[in-house]
Structures are given as structure tokens and as C-alpha cells.
Amino acid sequence: MKKCLSLTATLSCIVLLFLMANSAVYSQDATEEPAHTLTNPLNTFEGADPWLTFYDGNYYLATTTWASLLTMRKAPSLAGLKTAMPITIYFETDPSRCCNMWAPEFRLFEGDDGAQHWYFYYTARTSGTLDNQHSHVLESDGTDPLGPYHYKARLFDPAHDTWSIDGSVMVLDDALYFLNSVWVGDYQEIFIAPMSNPWTISGERVLISRSDYAWEKSGLFVNEGPVALQHDGKTFIIYSASYCATPDYKLGMLTYTGGDPLDGASWVKNPQPVFERSDENGVYGPGHNGFFTSPDGTEDWIVYHANPSASDGCGGARTTRVQKFTWNEDGTPNFGAPVAVGEEIAAPSGDSGIVTPAETVETTRFKLSSAQAYLRHLNLNFRIDFTVTPVEDSEFVVVAGLADPEAVSIQSVNFPGLYARHDETNLISLGLDDGSDAFAGSATWYERPGLVEGAEADAFSFESYDAPDSYIGQKFGLVALVKQSEMMTDRLREDATFVAEQ
């Protein structure tokens, strides 16, 4: 809430202001901007593979979602990203590219219409697998980083159409190059390929880095997450080395020595890592980075993810961190040591310092009335678990029903805009509201008295709006619509009866 000065200021206040206006101290400090600060991390969970950009007065941050959708946060200050709600910018239903989305990167390029567009690069797998990752790109309709976006293309080298992750675009001498990471035998290697436009690879890939040193071989032989860094005419590729499940995930560096960028000999690897774990600061596995400049363009900053303990691995405990870096006399970057969580650091030069208070949203967890188990989503599908990590996967906002305001719809907290709905197979999953009557009907529920016999007064069951007498319950361990009938067992009734927990 904004505070306003009284229109009837007292005489003493007027005198005080007059004295301040004529003091030397006041004349020196009044024109100075306050020193803004912030602390890491920028989020509390699911902060892996961050990409951060300052554009037109705001910061934009995207991270891995592990799901069939992409999200972004927007704030006028770096610290403001900590309270910014994620916004779903794209939702995918095509089974050939629907799932487990990783490693976002978004850049502003000219499209085939001659106008500027954001190109959002990401990795996604096919439905029905736990792997088969490939690189894809979206195109924005205009110049708003939040979109809207439409699917543009899959990026691949026709001669080597293989597993591909961590796609990144490098601009060098006005030409575009695609960087990515690919498994070849026991090695996950980094390749470069030419591009004819921001969505098309136009030639064969060339190997530029594989795990040569012991520090690149912790856990597995991994080189991944390549991203270009350019300064004073020099070009570097900063990449992540070793396996993310180890605390020794870290950053290495390639230096471009001139000549053809598509010649592996044009890239020289630094024999030592350039950014790695700090046990003293409690930072483990720092890696998969991006770069951005301060709002006034005078400072260079790195954004990366890291773990709070040595045993956290490749999961949702990784959070997004930022810090300023400098340059050595030889023109190479000096990233220093990763900053400890909670350590106060100066905000980027020109940062507004504006932090919008987090919106107060009443969230609800739905617990089985018969057990300490919760309704939750995992990779957009619903299940009932006793232990939920992160807890936000079991938190929902109940709103007026999309198809009937007398009913309710159940919106995800960490994926705003996505609702609990049933599909054509009667399974319950999260879906993006497309504005259609069909979606509204599948995502609308009536709260009925609990189906279980002798249920407490506060127990209830969710009856489907467009499938009368069918309720959210469990079938064969899957959360699905369950038809109420005389043959309904006590167990089915128990699994379809919930209580709300604030």
C-alpha cells in the first residue's frame, strides 16, 4: 500500500525540511540513487538451467520446468524476480515434442518478415519415453519476451539427427552458429553448426569440446550447456563439465583463436575450470549459466544454478543464482567464487531496486480424509503421495468454475494458468485453458459431500461438471475419474474423499 503525506503538515516539519535543504550533507546526498542490494537465490526451487535478460526496463528469467510447458518471470529489478509469479508462455500437446522441457534460452533476432522477434530455444523429449531429447525453437509474434509464441522448428543437423540438448545460438562476424551437446559413445560432447537463420541449421556439426581433463569427468564424461561470451573483440564459449548429479559440476572455457569457427582447431580449451564449487560458501555444482549486462550496460553478470548441499544432484533443489564478474588483464573473464546464499551483494548498476510485494494468494492442499496423503501433480500428471517435493506441486488455488461459477476450477500454484482437468481417457492432469467450452467443462468440478461412509462434515468429493456421477479418485494407482455406483468399493470411496488443508 502506498503511503501519502498529510496535506496539513506541521510547522515543525516545515522548519526541519528547510534546515535539511540548506545543509551540505543534504545537497550531496539528495541527488544520489540509493544503493540497492539483493541476495541469492532468485527462486526457492526448480531454478535449473537459468536464462536471464534485461530488456526494455525489465528482467526476464526462464528456467527448466521438467514439464510440457515453458514459463517466465518478469520484474523491474533483479531482486524483484524473487517475488514475481511465473507466467506460462507456451504449452505443448504434440507428442513428438511435448515433455520434459529443459534449458531455455531466448534471443531477439530478425525474422523472415524483416521484423524483430524473440526466439525461444529449449530441449524437449517425445511422449512415452524418459529420454529422446531434441532441440526446438519458438517464435514470438512481437517483441514482448512474454509472447505470445508459436512453434517454429526443430533444430537438427540432417546428417546427424540425434539426441541433442542445451541448444544455444552464437553470433560471430554477423553469422549465426548453433551450439549443443550430444552423446557420442561414452562422451557427452559439444558441437557447433552453421545456421542460415535463427531456426535452421544449414550444415554439418563439428566437434569442438569433449572431456579431456580429470575435472571434466566427475561422475560421467560430460561437456554441456555451451554459451558464447564476447568482450573487447574476444569470443569465449563457457560450458558445464562433469555430471550434474555430483557436487563437482562446474564451468570450463573455450577460447576462439581466429579463423573458421567451424574448425575445431580454432577453439582452445582452458586447462583449468573457471568456476566451481565452494565448500566454504556452501555452493555445490554451480553450472549451466548464461550472461547478462546491467541496465546501464556498464557491468557484466553471470546467472547460473547451484545446489545447497553436496548430495542434491540434478533435481529440483537447484536454484538460480547471480553475481557480477570482471575481466583479467589478458581479456579472459574472472568469475571469482560462487557467492553464498544469503550474502548481500550490490544490485547491478542502474537497477531500479523496485520490488513488487508478492501477491497474497490463498492456496489449498487436498488431503485424503482417510490418510496423510495429498493430491499433487508431477510432470503435469496427477497422483496421490504421502511426501511431496517441492510442496508447491500439491498447492492449488480454487477459483470459480470455468464452465459454471457455482462450481470450482482448480489452478496450479507453480504453473499459473494450468488447471486440473480430465482427458478423453478420464485421467486427471494439468491443462492450459485454451478458452474453449470443451476445456472449461473438463476443468470444472462440483464440491459434493464426501463419498466415504461416515465422512466428516468438512470432507468433500469432486464431481465432474461434464461427466455427471464421476469423481476425482484413483484407478489402479492412477488419479482418474471414478464412476459412482452401487458397486463402488469402500476403498474407491476413500480415495475420492478429501479435506482441504490451508
Side-chain angles (χ1 to χ4, degrees):
M1 178 180 296
K2 295 181 179 179
K3 294 183 179 179
C4 300
L5 292 176
S6 168
L7 295 177
T8 56
T10 64
L11 179 60
S12 59
C13 288
I14 294 173
V15 172
L16 178 60
L17 289 174
F18 177 80
L19 293 173
M20 291 176 62
N22 287 277
S23 68
V25 174
Y26 178 75
S27 63
Q28 293 173 0
D29 294 344
T31 58
E32 294 180 2
E33 286 292 322
H36 303 302
T37 62
L38 70 146
T39 59
N40 283 312
L42 299 186
N43 39 42
T44 57
F45 69 98
E46 301 295 13
D49 310 335
W51 187 262
L52 196 157
T53 291
F54 183 82
Y55 174 75
D56 197 24
N58 285 285
Y59 294 89
Y60 295 85
L61 170 67
T63 61
T64 283
T65 65
W66 305 103
S68 299
L69 77 167
L70 299 164
T71 63
M72 194 180 291
R73 298 170 190 258
K74 170 186 176 182
S77 72
L78 205 53
L81 290 172
K82 302 174 75 165
T83 58
M85 288 290 291
I87 298 170
T88 299
I89 62 168
Y90 185 75
F91 184 80
E92 186 59 82
T93 58
D94 187 322
S96 71
R97 56 176 190 262
C98 69
C99 314
N100 205 21
M101 293 180 174
W102 300 346
E105 173 176 315
F106 46 100
R107 294 180 180 272
L108 194 61
F109 291 124
E110 183 178 299
D112 51 5
D113 59 357
Q116 294 287 302
H117 298 271
W118 287 96
Y119 290 89
F120 195 109
Y121 302 89
Y122 63 99
T123 302
R125 66 170 171 83
T126 54
S127 179
T129 74
L130 295 177
D131 202 352
N132 202 26
Q133 301 290 118
H134 288 87
S135 299
H136 302 267
V137 59
L138 310 175
E139 182 184 67
S140 68
D141 292 351
T143 57
D144 186 345
L146 295 177
Y149 286 91
H150 58 269
Y151 184 78
K152 188 66 174 179
R154 182 164 72 87
L155 292 123
F156 64 99
D157 169 4
H160 301 93
D161 187 9
T162 62
W163 187 92
S164 166
I165 69 167
D166 297 353
S168 180
V169 177
M170 177 179 70
V171 182
L172 183 59
D173 295 330
D174 296 324
L176 298 179
Y177 298 89
F178 189 69
L179 309 172
N180 67 340
S181 180
V182 178
W183 276 108
V184 179
D186 292 333
Y187 286 78
Q188 190 177 324
E189 304 173 337
I190 293 175
F191 289 83
I192 187 173
M195 303 180 76
S196 56
N197 54 49
W199 59 89
T200 307
I201 291 176
S202 57
E204 288 196 31
R205 70 190 191 188
V206 175
L207 175 68
I208 57 173
S209 185
R210 70 199 308 258
S211 296
D212 301 308
Y213 298 103
W215 55 266
E216 300 176 281
K217 300 179 180 181
S218 297
L220 293 171
F221 303 160
V222 173
N223 280 189
E224 63 183 12
V227 61
L229 174 62
Q230 295 169 321
H231 181 72
D232 282 350
K234 295 181 180 292
T235 296
F236 309 93
I237 292 176
I238 309 301
Y239 65 94
S240 299
S242 289
Y243 184 30
C244 64
T246 74
D248 293 312
Y249 194 65
K250 59 180 71 70
L251 296 184
M253 182 175 74
L254 305 175
T255 300
Y256 174 58
T257 59
D260 185 0
L262 296 173
D263 182 351
S266 297
W267 299 94
V268 174
K269 180 177 294 187
N270 202 63
Q272 299 296 329
V274 293
F275 195 60
E276 57 188 323
R277 64 187 281 179
S278 171
D279 291 33
E280 179 182 358
N281 292 339
V283 181
Y284 302 91
H288 201 113
N289 64 286
F291 301 104
F292 64 100
T293 56
S294 59
D296 64 6
T298 65
E299 297 174 349
D300 294 300
W301 285 66
I302 183 173
V303 58
Y304 61 96
H305 72 230
N307 274 314
S309 78
S311 60
D312 282 323
C314 304
R318 293 176 294 182
T319 54
T320 300
R321 327 288 183 88
V322 293
Q323 59 191 74
K324 177 184 171 182
F325 68 94
T326 58
W327 298 91
N328 297 312
E329 290 186 2
D330 64 359
T332 58
N334 184 343
F335 300 119
V339 175
V341 165
E343 178 180 336
E344 195 170 83
I345 60 176
S349 180
D351 188 290
S352 70
I354 298 172
V355 178
T356 303
E359 183 180 354
T360 301
V361 178
E362 185 174 341
T363 62
T364 302
R365 303 179 77 196
F366 299 115
K367 180 176 65 176
L368 288 180
S369 66
S370 60
Q372 293 290 325
Y374 294 87
L375 187 68
R376 60 86 57 89
H377 62 81
L378 181 65
N379 297 331
L380 301 189
N381 296 311
F382 274 76
R383 55 192 286 176
I384 292 177
D385 277 348
F386 287 90
T387 302
V388 182
T389 303
V391 70
E392 287 83 358
D393 283 357
S394 63
E395 293 181 332
F396 303 94
V397 177
V398 178
V399 299
L402 298 178
D404 182 354
E406 298 300 317
V408 299
S409 289
I410 304 168
Q411 184 176 195
S412 168
V413 166
N414 47 358
F415 295 146
L418 271 65
Y419 294 84
R421 49 93 62 160
H422 67 83
D423 61 21
E424 60 277 3
T425 67
N426 289 331
L427 292 176
I428 310 300
S429 62
L430 281 179
L432 182 67
D433 181 11
D434 60 8
S436 68
D437 291 342
F439 181 88
S442 70
T444 299
W445 311 91
Y446 292 107
E447 291 186 342
R448 306 300 193 197
L451 295 181
V452 69
E453 187 175 350
E456 298 292 333
D458 61 348
F460 55 87
S461 297
F462 290 111
E463 182 185 9
S464 171
Y465 167 86
D466 60 359
D469 295 324
S470 294
Y471 293 78
I472 296 179
Q474 287 197 89
K475 281 185 178 179
F476 309 111
L478 300 174
V479 176
L481 287 184
V482 178
K483 188 76 171 179
Q484 184 184 27
S485 70
E486 293 181 357
M487 302 298 292
M488 197 176 195
T489 65
D490 289 343
R491 177 58 186 272
L492 288 175
R493 292 177 183 276
E494 288 177 356
D495 287 349
T497 303
F498 301 90
V499 291
E501 185 180 275
Q502 300 295 330

